[in-house]
Amino acid sequence: MTLNLRVAIVGAGPAGIYAGNILRRQVDEAGGQVAIDLFESLPAPYGLIRYGVAPDHPRIKGIVNSLHEMLDEGTIRLIGNVEVGRDVTVDELRERYDAVIFATGALKDAPLEIPGIDLPGSYGAADLVAWYDGHPDVPRDWPLEAESIAVIGNGNVALDVARVLAKHPADLLSTDIPANVHAGLAASPVTDVHVFGRRGPSQVKFTPIELRELGEIPDVDLVVYDDDFARAEGDEHAAHLLATNNQVKVMTRTLNGWRTRDASRPPASRRLHLHFFHSPVEVLGTDRVEGVRFERTRPVGDGSVAGTGEVVDVPVQAVYRAVGYASSPLAGVPFDERARVIPNAGGRVTDAAGTPIAGLFATGWIKRGPVGLIGHTKGDALETITNLVADAEAGVLERPVVAAGADGDEVLEVLEARGIRYTTWNGWLALDAHERALGEAFDGPVARERVKVVPRDEQVALSRDGALVAG
């Protein structure tokens, strides 16, 4: 049986692009043909890379180069500025494609259910990340009014948020940070940023490179506390990690290096504090955030911690929770509200009884939850695509009931009839060139590779006008 497939992928972040590339390769190897449409709710591709990674991470953003190559081959068609479930329904996609793959990721903050968490001055880290990354659907202004800030969480997102808040904005000018974000950070009166984790120094979820970067921020002192390290003494789990895990060894060495500060060095104007064995109990305040109450914890020897009953209050004027991400349901698709994922078996979407639904698949964080780094999405996509191809070869997939039309344009005609101003790959190339030109034209103390365009309407106009010129 020769494969001849039409597949829609919802979400043009790394998970969706990797899935499309693996699908193309597997079908090619099987001697078949596949037409892939990649739907994205934003005008630009790359998802988490463009709107979820701190702007001062050029090494991580280097992944864009490989994603660009995959899309630039022309075998995957990008259809941007289209929200599936609103502009086109899942049922309409199922009528037009042999399979639909959901790769919509996890965009919202996981909840932290403690008293006071909804006070003014308390925010989700994901919302701040979207703001400083220039996401078109968040407000252009951000209330940076606090001198002391608490960031709750011990993962890379917590470090990203703390680093961006503590960094002097002049040191972010070499990145693609939008002008409104730079202006907002420049007006911030912050002097101290505190990062709090429930567990000890050996159980953090940082990566070594993220941790080391904290010590390289100009005019920002790193502050750690001896009492936190004393609590970890005698912890068998920490000792095992230190003996067997190279990443833990590197991070422990880095943290211990910050315990002794060179007394001859003048103090910095800002400080970034790392606190361990602090479990948040309550956000304090009446009309707005005035502090956070923590219960001190202790290790119990298996990697977990227990409360000690000791309570400490830390005065701050703003709180950011960075305790994880959560996915959102998509109209017309099963969703597990507890796990915040699309229920699936190996990437095959399942119904309430656990039975796979023919032609529906999931990959990335919407499939397995917001765990793992960007590189992990490759293996995740491989499992999903291997099962999709197996279903196609077994004749399990239902054939589309609506023909593709000339050059596969039928779905585009639907969008045009509804007045949807969709964007394309050529449009992204035009927007990309425009942002790079803004960077080259920047008249300032540093060279800039690009300056992001933030407003959605402006992105769409630049993309569509540029695509017409390219066409």
Side-chain angles (χ1 to χ4, degrees):
M1 174 182 173
T2 300
L3 294 180
N4 185 12
L5 301 175
R6 293 178 64 205
V7 176
I9 301 176
V10 183
I17 297 173
Y18 287 143
N21 191 55
I22 293 170
L23 174 62
R24 179 193 58 78
R25 289 206 317 264
Q26 287 202 12
V27 173
D28 281 352
E29 290 168 2
Q33 293 183 329
V34 60
I36 304 171
D37 283 343
L38 185 64
F39 291 88
E40 170 56 51
S41 63
L42 294 165
Y46 306 141
L48 177 68
I49 299 293
R50 182 168 167 91
Y51 292 118
V53 177
D56 56 349
H57 272 336
R59 288 182 297 274
I60 293 178
K61 290 196 173 185
I63 296 172
V64 166
N65 293 333
S66 62
L67 299 178
H68 176 99
E69 291 175 2
M70 295 174 196
L71 293 182
D72 203 43
E73 289 179 350
T75 54
I76 301 173
R77 182 169 64 172
L78 176 67
I79 306 174
N81 200 40
V82 174
E83 185 171 330
V84 172
R86 183 193 66 191
D87 300 328
V88 61
T89 68
V90 171
D91 284 343
E92 287 174 325
L93 294 182
R94 296 184 71 184
E95 291 171 353
R96 290 162 172 80
Y97 297 90
D98 296 278
V100 182
I101 304 171
F102 303 103
T104 49
L107 304 176
K108 293 186 176 181
D109 287 285
L112 178 61
E113 296 179 354
I114 60 174
I117 197 65
D118 294 324
L119 279 169
S122 176
Y123 311 100
D127 293 333
L128 178 71
V129 172
W131 173 74
Y132 66 55
D133 272 336
H135 194 292
D137 297 336
V138 301
R140 301 291 299 278
D141 298 320
W142 191 271
L144 294 169
E145 302 161 348
E147 293 184 1
S148 295
I149 299 171
V151 180
I152 299 174
N154 251 181
N156 283 341
V157 174
L159 285 198
D160 279 353
V161 166
R163 189 181 63 255
V164 170
L165 289 171
K167 215 169 191 178
H168 290 277
D171 296 319
L172 288 166
L173 269 180
S174 61
T175 73
D176 62 3
I177 186 172
N180 67 294
V181 175
H182 179 265
L185 292 171
S188 169
V190 66
T191 59
D192 292 84
V193 179
H194 301 262
V195 181
F196 295 93
R198 293 178 60 252
R199 298 193 293 174
S202 298
Q203 288 92 15
V204 296
K205 298 298 183 181
F206 313 145
T207 53
I209 191 169
E210 291 269 354
L211 189 62
R212 282 199 305 268
E213 285 176 348
L214 293 187
E216 300 169 359
I217 308 175
D219 194 32
V220 176
D221 280 337
L222 257 294
V223 183
V224 294
Y225 295 85
D226 286 338
D227 177 63
D228 290 342
F229 292 85
R231 288 173 185 260
E233 292 177 1
D235 178 10
E236 294 180 2
H237 183 264
H240 174 73
L241 288 176
L242 187 59
T244 60
N245 189 305
N246 286 331
Q247 283 200 348
V248 172
K249 290 179 185 178
V250 171
M251 289 191 289
T252 300
R253 187 163 55 245
T254 299
L255 289 167
N256 279 319
W258 291 333
R259 294 176 67 181
T260 55
R261 184 179 180 277
D262 182 0
S264 64
R265 195 180 75 178
S269 65
R270 294 181 176 180
R271 289 159 296 281
L272 203 163
H273 309 252
L274 299 182
H275 303 267
F276 305 100
F277 298 116
H278 283 72
S279 180
V281 174
E282 181 180 359
V283 176
L284 305 174
T286 48
D287 298 324
R288 62 170 298 107
V289 171
E290 297 174 11
V292 184
R293 177 165 293 161
F294 295 92
E295 180 182 13
R296 297 306 307 271
T297 61
R298 61 174 179 81
V300 297
D302 62 358
S304 62
V305 294
T308 65
E310 177 190 355
V311 173
V312 295
D313 294 346
V314 180
V316 295
Q317 300 86 49
V319 176
Y320 292 87
R321 66 184 186 277
V323 295
Y325 285 109
S327 297
S328 300
L330 190 65
V333 185
F335 191 72
D336 184 334
E337 291 286 353
R338 183 188 60 80
R340 306 297 297 181
V341 298
I342 292 176
N344 69 93
R348 295 181 175 100
V349 176
T350 56
D351 61 18
T355 303
I357 301 173
L360 294 188
F361 299 85
T363 189
W365 283 2
I366 192 68
K367 168 188 174 184
R368 56 186 164 86
V371 292
L373 302 176
I374 292 171
H376 293 138
T377 57
K378 291 182 181 179
D380 200 40
L382 178 61
E383 177 187 53
T384 294
I385 296 306
T386 299
N387 286 333
L388 187 159
V389 172
D391 286 357
E393 292 176 332
V396 173
L397 304 181
E398 298 177 0
R399 298 300 299 173
V401 297
V402 178
D407 299 322
D409 285 345
E410 193 277 337
V411 71
L412 300 184
E413 292 169 0
V414 170
L415 296 173
E416 288 168 357
R418 293 173 181 174
I420 307 302
R421 302 176 69 230
Y422 64 85
T423 59
T424 65
W425 178 245
N426 280 340
W428 161 246
L429 295 179
L431 175 58
D432 179 52
H434 179 82
E435 291 184 341
R436 291 178 183 276
L438 291 177
E440 292 176 4
F442 177 71
D443 184 16
V446 295
R448 305 193 67 182
E449 181 180 348
R450 78 167 65 234
V451 176
K452 272 184 184 173
V453 173
V454 178
R456 179 184 285 265
D457 288 347
E458 187 177 349
Q459 289 188 47
V460 171
L462 288 164
S463 296
R464 289 176 67 85
D465 290 348
L468 288 173
V469 171

